[in-house]
Amino acid sequence: MIINKLKIHYILIVLISIPSVAQEMSFEEYNPKSTLVVTENIVEKAKYPFIDIHSHQFKMATQDLSQLIASMDDLNMAVMVNLSGGSGEGLSNMLNNINQNYPNRFVVFANVNFQGVGNADWAENAVKNLEQDVKNGAKGLKIYKSLGLRNKDINGKRIAIDDSRLDPIWSKCGELGIPVLIHAADPKSFWDPYDSNNERWLELKTRPRRKRSADNPAPWEQIIAEQHRMIKKHPETKFINAHMGWYGNNLQKLDELLEQMPNMYVGIGAVIAELGRQPRAAQKFFIVHQDRILFGKDSYQPDEFPTYFRVLETADEYFPYYKKYHAFWAMYGLDLPDEVLRKVYYKNALKLLPGLDQSLFD
């Protein structure tokens, strides 16, 4: 009897000392290291000099540009396009700082103030301001996603992207020969139900203010359709659709849209993870539309650029994205041909932004 009791006691001690197999952890905590052994080609510097068509620098009027230049050189970035130029004196101050220090390394886009839409003289004044900004040195117009989401006219009504009262702006850009880089809406998942089927669930949990109801302030499909109607209505104006128009996850649809709108180009800023999870389809897409795709990053975080370079340049397999809340999946390199890389990195942008220093790309 004593021996049996000892055996039972020993068994209990052993069982208690064994870690529980049925662990519980949150999705955020589960981030296993891959045991897959594959070739790694970390690309710290782009193979060719590139133009970042989508960047934001809000203090360019006063900041020490030499520090920014050093960071750009480390990446092989030849030209940065600052989309946050504003208008009037603020834009002129930015351009003065650039022209006095590094006139061939930066491009600045102007912005439109949509406050006052509905007043009889709004369009006339907006066009005059744009003409002056271009005369001062702006090389394009950037439209933020607030158009279609938050901007309202003098009666408090949401301004649709294809509102006819804005037509003089788009027409003037065509006359001036400057491109319009436009960001419309956000990923469709932000409008979808917030549940286990939503691919951006973690992002929406982390940043709940990004979640929208199905019709806040309008359905996603409606806002995107407004943008497409506007682009089609102004065939003489060149439009750069930021974030691949949120169709990086549906390249078949984006292929159709590019065929319908020959004046539309796409930037890859903030959607590289969509491309990296479909390398064969994305490589084919880039080859077919090699004259219509531009490199862009969006927020300027130097340590994030190498992921873009690796996706575009290498044939690497199964490597992580740098933000789990954007993409919890692994990515693969597109292994783009050199000529396609050159077009994406700088040749296509040079066509849209004439007057840049060609020697930077020799």
Side-chain angles (χ1 to χ4, degrees):
M1 180 66 69
I2 294 175
I3 293 175
N4 288 338
K5 287 182 177 180
L6 289 173
K7 285 183 177 179
I8 293 172
H9 183 66
Y10 174 76
I11 291 171
L12 288 173
I13 291 174
V14 171
L15 290 175
I16 291 171
S17 65
I18 296 175
S20 173
V21 175
Q23 295 183 43
E24 291 187 3
M25 66 179 71
S26 67
F27 178 62
E28 299 96 307
E29 293 174 307
Y30 184 65
N31 193 27
K33 293 182 179 180
S34 173
T35 60
L36 185 67
V37 179
V38 290
T39 301
E40 292 187 351
N41 294 285
I42 308 301
V43 186
E44 299 290 350
K45 193 171 188 175
K47 187 174 185 178
Y48 301 107
F50 68 94
I51 297 171
D52 185 351
I53 197 72
H54 192 144
S55 193
H56 297 283
Q57 297 289 331
F58 299 97
K59 300 179 180 179
M60 192 166 272
T62 57
Q63 74 185 95
D64 180 358
L65 297 178
S66 64
Q67 297 177 6
L68 188 55
I69 287 291
S71 175
M72 291 164 57
D73 288 344
D74 288 341
L75 300 169
N76 204 15
M77 184 190 299
V79 176
M80 172 188 285
V81 179
N82 180 14
L83 301 178
S84 302
S87 183
E89 183 179 359
L91 183 143
S92 294
N93 290 338
M94 284 189 181
L95 290 166
N96 287 338
N97 190 20
I98 290 169
N99 292 333
Q100 292 170 14
N101 293 283
Y102 300 95
N104 64 339
R105 300 295 300 276
F106 297 102
V107 166
V108 180
F109 276 28
N111 308 129
V112 170
N113 184 348
F114 291 101
Q115 185 175 357
V117 171
N119 288 325
D121 59 351
W122 178 85
E124 179 182 357
N125 291 333
V127 166
K128 287 181 180 178
N129 290 339
L130 178 60
E131 287 178 317
Q132 186 61 51
D133 288 338
V134 172
K135 184 178 180 180
N136 290 340
K139 292 187 178 296
L141 176 66
K142 154 69 173 177
I143 301 299
Y144 290 98
K145 65 181 179 181
S146 53
L147 179 63
L149 289 180
R150 296 187 296 273
N151 292 139
K152 296 181 180 180
D153 65 13
I154 58 175
N155 297 313
K157 182 179 179 182
R158 181 184 73 93
I159 304 172
I161 298 175
D162 62 340
D163 191 312
S164 61
R165 293 172 294 185
L166 311 184
D167 283 345
I169 293 291
W170 320 130
S171 296
K172 179 55 63 174
C173 289
E175 293 175 19
L176 295 172
I178 62 170
V180 178
L181 192 148
I182 180 169
H183 175 171
D186 269 323
K188 184 180 182 299
S189 297
F190 291 4
W191 276 258
D192 292 338
Y194 179 50
D195 57 25
S196 60
N197 292 313
N198 193 313
E199 202 168 42
R200 308 291 282 251
W201 178 89
L202 181 56
E203 180 174 3
L204 294 173
K205 179 183 179 183
T206 306
R207 290 159 172 76
R209 293 178 63 182
R210 295 182 180 180
K211 180 69 183 78
R212 295 181 177 276
S213 59
D215 57 354
N216 176 20
W220 182 86
E221 294 84 356
Q222 178 180 334
I223 297 171
I224 297 299
E226 291 170 1
Q227 183 203 56
H228 295 165
R229 286 195 296 267
M230 183 270 288
I231 293 174
K232 291 176 182 178
K233 189 176 181 180
H234 298 276
E236 301 304 317
T237 302
K238 304 295 185 184
F239 292 91
I240 304 168
N241 204 335
H243 314 300
M244 299 187 87
W246 301 121
Y247 277 108
N249 62 340
N250 188 348
L251 295 180
Q252 291 182 339
K253 177 63 175 180
L254 186 54
D255 174 79
E256 295 173 5
L257 294 171
L258 285 168
E259 291 298 323
Q260 295 171 14
M261 294 173 276
N263 59 324
M264 185 179 83
Y265 298 74
V266 294
I268 64 172
V271 291
I272 197 69
E274 298 289 5
L275 304 172
R277 64 171 167 170
Q278 49 176 333
R280 289 187 292 274
Q283 184 196 61
K284 180 180 178 181
F285 181 87
F286 270 68
I287 291 173
V288 171
H289 297 291
Q290 59 186 272
D291 297 317
R292 310 273 293 280
I293 305 171
L294 297 97
F295 185 94
K297 169 64 181 61
D298 202 349
S299 67
Y300 186 69
Q301 301 293 333
D303 60 336
E304 296 176 356
F305 280 82
T307 299
Y308 280 70
F309 305 152
R310 192 176 182 187
V311 169
L312 297 175
E313 297 181 19
T314 79
D316 283 6
E317 298 184 293
Y318 205 82
F319 55 91
Y321 186 61
Y322 50 80
K323 287 180 180 177
K324 183 182 177 183
Y325 72 79
H326 268 176
F328 54 84
W329 53 81
M331 300 195 297
Y332 301 78
L334 308 189
D335 194 21
L336 294 176
D338 281 356
E339 183 55 21
V340 176
L341 275 176
R342 288 189 182 96
K343 289 182 177 180
V344 172
Y345 274 150
Y346 67 90
K347 286 188 175 182
N348 294 338
L350 285 176
K351 293 179 181 178
L352 293 174
L353 303 171
L356 300 189
D357 183 355
Q358 295 283 338
S359 68
L360 295 171
F361 308 94
D362 293 340

